[in-house]
């Protein structure tokens, strides 16, 4: 349970050294730089420091961010068109590595690679344009399909002596009787026009009509009255000629697209180069962002920040050995908020992800990670409570941790936590006799004709659910008392002994007294099946213990109020919180619910698998149902155990003592996305373009 002690640091150095100083701090990654420094915060004579100001680095920072984004976009394009061959678990491999010489070579040629990345993006835009054009041509070919039998140009509207109408009619038009309709509408042009039905389908009827120019207007009016619409295509080519032109365009665009894809396959060899380039520019952008927050004069600059106390001596020694500067440290004030960095042993650090999801400990809190991790593992195992499931979880997590030693720190912590949960699940499974539910019994009875049972080391929850409920509530009470005890410890560290008695001891007395009062009652016997008889002295003692706790709560909860009536009223209101304790304790009945759910579903799966009998077919069915059913059951209940265990930690346990309002420590470091950078490649050999 350790929160790293922090120190404020202040560095004043020559402006000519700021590049090297910043790069050193970024490389070490143990200093959080204060970006909100004001001159009056330095603690010196304001008039003496009046020449200090901040440098505007927005342009350069934006430039480097843009270059990093260009490299990222180039990688996305390559992944889209030339996917990198990755294993299913490639995401666990962690960041890549490269030799210092390779990285330095890429950085020295970065301008050439920038143009290459931009070229990848430009070619991607060309592919998009080709695909748009191909899709347009295919749509147009599809639209011209009904007109392929027409042998005149699409845009024909007239000849020297005739008018031509090319278009569509409603799909229910009957070709054999259509001319009769036109004759009825316009009898004066009967037998002086010709209408050809080019094609007809469920959507439309395609026609071409021709008449003498003198009859053109009359025929056009008649056509419109029957729903005629001119064709949407306009071309001097016939439909067949137009389709051939579209096909040529499709072939040309497909060839251009294929040529670009060939280039992309060559660019794929530079995938790692783009990754290094992206991270390099990302590091530089971060450096310029910090540079813009520093107070600088004509010849000097000031850095203030926070550093872990155990790193201060090393930082000071390195900086003083390399630069001519002033280095000072200062302790945080008693009530001053301090960035939080956790330092737990690897075993207990596994729970840091769960705790951080709720919030980091504030300066007045202790780090509950170790205690919370132990509680989390115990509760998770009790909810899943099947030895076979636990063995699978443990084996998978252990194998992944062993196979991918360079995986991200947060993922490694999560897998390590689940590995411990797997061990806990195995232990609870042995205690409760769960091995894929009752798989041993079902297999022996179905395929061997024998009754074989693996007995529970303690008891079987499905046979004794009330006993399981009592155990769940008892574990919940211990968990809650542990949280309350941590609150008392925090108050004792601040020497607030009145609060220890009023806010902690009083509740211990009240809850313990109420439990002692409940235990010899008939209600307790009906719930647990356990008969307990107390002596009269013990019964009176339980009344005294509960009463003393209640009195302390009533008269001390509102102790900050001077009005005695208001104090008692607040105390009575606080005493009502005993119902909250009851609610919290009952919340642990979910241990019973999820434990039974795992076992019941597992038994149902086993019974379903055995329904096909004992033959070869029955064995095949059993294996298929067994594997699929238990995989699904395990997945669902692992998720349920994770969610409900987090809920018990966040609401019931943390609710007793933990604020979680700590501000995380965010050091200035090499925040890379793809590659781990070494010490030798952060600087480049070119003149630094730091703004003055």
């Amino acid at each position: 349970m350790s929160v790293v002690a922090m120190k404020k640091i202040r560095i004043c150095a020559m402006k000519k050294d700021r590049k090297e100083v910043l790069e050193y701090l970024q490389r070490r990654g143990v200093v959080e730089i204060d970006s909100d420094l004001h001159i009056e915060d330095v603690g010196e004579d304001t008039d003496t420091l009046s020449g200090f100001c901040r440098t505007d680095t927005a342009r350069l920072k934006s430039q480097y961010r843009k270059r990093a984004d260009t490299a990222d976009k180039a990688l996305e394009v390559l992944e889209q068109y030339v996917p990198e061959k990755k294993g299913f678990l490639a995401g666990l491999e962690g960041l890549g590595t490269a030799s210092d010489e390779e990285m330095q070579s890429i950085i020295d040629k970065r301008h050439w690679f920038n143009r290459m990345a931009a070229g990848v993006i430009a070619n991607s835009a060309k592919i998009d344009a080709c695909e748009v054009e191909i899709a347009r041509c295919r749509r147009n070919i599809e639209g011209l399909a009904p007109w392929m039998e027409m042998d005149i140009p699409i845009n024909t509207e007239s000849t020297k002596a005739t008018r031509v109408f090319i278009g569509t009619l409603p799909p229910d038009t009957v070709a054999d009787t259509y001319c009769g309709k036109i004759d009825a509408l316009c009898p004066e042009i009967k037998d002086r026009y010709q209408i050809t039905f080019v094609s007809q389908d469920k959507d439309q009827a395609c026609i071409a009509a021709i008449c003498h120019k003198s009859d053109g207007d009359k025929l056009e009016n008649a056509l419109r009255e029957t729903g005629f619409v001119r064709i949407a295509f306009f071309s001097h080519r016939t439909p067949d000629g137009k389709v051939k032109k579209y096909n040529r365009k499709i072939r040309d665009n497909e060839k251009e697209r294929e040529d670009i894809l060939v280039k992309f396959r060559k660019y794929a060899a530079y995938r790692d180069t783009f990754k290094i380039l992206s991270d390099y520019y990302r590091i530089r952008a971060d450096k310029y962002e910090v540079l813009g927050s520093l107070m600088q004069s004509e010849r000097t600059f000031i850095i203030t920040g926070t550093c872990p106390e155990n790193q201060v001596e090393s930082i000071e020694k390195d900086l003083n050995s390399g630069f001519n500067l002033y280095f000072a440290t200062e302790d945080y004030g008693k009530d001053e908020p301090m960035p939080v960095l956790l330092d737990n042993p690897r075993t207990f650090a596994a729970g840091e992800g769960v705790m951080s999801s709720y919030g980091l400990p504030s300066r007045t809190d202790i780090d509950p990670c170790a205690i919370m991790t132990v509680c989390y593992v115990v509760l998770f195992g009790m909810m899943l409570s099947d030895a076979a499931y636990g063995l699978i979880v443990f084996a998978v997590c252990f194998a992944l941790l062993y196979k991918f030693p360079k995986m991200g720190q947060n993922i490694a912590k999560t897998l390590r936590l689940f590995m411990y949960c797997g061990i806990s699940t195995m232990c609870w499974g042995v205690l409760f006799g769960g091995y894929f539910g009752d798989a041993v019994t079902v297999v022996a009875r179905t395929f061997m004709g024998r009754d074989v049972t693996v007995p529970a080391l303690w008891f079987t929850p499905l046979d004794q659910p009330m006993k399981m409920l009592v155990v769940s509530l008892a574990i919940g009470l211990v968990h809650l008392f542990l949280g309350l005890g941590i609150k008392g410890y925090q108050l004792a560290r601040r020497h607030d002994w009145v609060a220890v008695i009023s806010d902690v001891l009083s509740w211990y007395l009240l809850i313990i007294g109420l439990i002692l009062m409940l235990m010899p009652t008939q209600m307790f016997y009906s719930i647990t099946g356990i008969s307990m008889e107390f002596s009269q002295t013990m019964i009176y003692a339980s009344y005294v213990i509960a009463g003393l706790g209640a009195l302390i709560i009533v008269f001390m909860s509102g102790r900050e109020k001077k009005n005695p009536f208001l104090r008692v009223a607040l105390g009575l209101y606080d005493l009502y919180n005993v119902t909250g304790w009851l609610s919290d304790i009952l919340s642990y009945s979910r241990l019973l619910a999820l434990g039974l759910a795992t076992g019941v579903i597992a038994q149902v799966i086993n019974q379903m698998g055995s329904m096909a009998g004992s033959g070869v077919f029955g064995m095949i069915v059993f294996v298929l149902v067994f594997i699929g059913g238990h995989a699904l059951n395990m997945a669902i209940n692992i998720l349920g155990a994770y969610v409900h265990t987090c809920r018990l930690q966040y609401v019931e346990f943390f609710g007793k003592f933990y604020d979680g309002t700590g501000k995380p420590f965010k050091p200035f470091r090499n925040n890379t996305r793809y590659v781990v950078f070494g010490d030798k490649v952060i600087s480049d050999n070119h003149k630094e373009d730091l703004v003055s």
Side-chain angles (χ1 to χ4, degrees), residues 17 87 122 146 174 220 267 313 353 452 485 496 510-511 525 527 566 647 668:
D17 296 327
V174 179
E220 183 178 8
Y267 284 140
E313 184 178 350
V452 178
D496 192 352
L510 177 60
I511 300 302
Y525 173 74
I527 294 174
L566 182 58
R647 196 262 183 202
F668 176 46

Side-chain angles (χ1 to χ4, degrees), residues 265-477:
R265 284 189 279 273
K266 294 179 181 178
Y267 284 140
Y270 295 94
R271 198 188 307 266
D272 291 339
T273 298
F274 293 149
K275 291 179 180 179
I276 293 173
L277 200 66
S278 172
D279 282 340
Y280 169 72
Y281 282 121
R282 191 169 290 106
I283 289 172
R284 298 198 74 184
D286 290 344
K287 183 172 71 175
Y288 276 92
E289 183 173 3
V290 170
L291 176 67
S293 70
L294 301 182
M295 300 300 295
Q296 304 177 61
S297 68
E298 185 177 352
R299 296 185 178 180
T300 61
F301 70 99
I302 298 173
I303 297 176
T304 63
T306 301
C307 180
E309 188 174 350
N310 57 8
Q311 296 286 340
V312 170
E313 184 178 350
S314 173
I315 294 287
E316 182 177 8
K317 180 180 177 181
D318 289 347
L319 288 175
N320 282 326
S321 65
F323 310 99
N324 181 21
L325 51 76
Y326 166 79
F327 187 98
T329 63
E330 181 183 347
D331 292 328
Y332 271 88
K334 184 177 180 181
D335 298 323
E336 191 175 1
M338 181 179 70
V340 176
L341 176 65
L342 303 178
D343 182 23
N344 291 291
R346 190 170 72 163
T347 300
F348 299 126
E352 287 180 357
V354 175
M355 187 185 70
S356 299
S357 297
Y358 183 87
L360 292 173
S362 65
R363 194 172 180 187
T364 57
D365 290 332
I366 67 168
D367 176 13
C369 191
I371 296 175
M372 189 221 70
T373 301
V374 173
C375 294
Y376 190 97
V377 168
V378 171
L379 296 176
F380 184 101
M382 192 173 179
M383 289 184 185
L384 195 55
S385 65
D386 187 287
Y389 290 177
L391 179 60
I392 293 173
V393 172
F394 167 78
V396 170
C397 294
F398 179 82
L400 292 175
L401 288 167
Y402 179 80
K403 183 173 177 60
F404 302 103
K406 296 181 181 180
M407 70 174 65
Q409 188 178 23
N410 292 333
I411 298 177
K413 288 179 180 178
T414 301
L415 286 176
R416 197 169 291 115
L417 176 64
F418 277 99
M419 184 177 71
Y420 300 148
C421 289
I423 296 173
S424 173
T425 302
M426 282 192 288
C427 294
W428 284 107
V430 172
L431 290 173
F432 294 154
Y435 303 88
F436 289 118
D438 61 346
V440 176
T441 302
V442 172
V443 170
R445 184 176 63 244
T446 304
F447 300 104
M448 302 177 188
R450 300 170 56 188
D451 287 331
V452 178
T453 303
V454 180
L457 196 61
W458 187 10
F459 70 95
T460 304
L462 291 175
D463 297 336
Q464 302 180 63
M466 294 311 298
K467 185 175 182 179
M468 181 65 175
L469 176 61
V470 173
V471 171
S472 300
L473 298 182
I475 289 177
L477 184 63

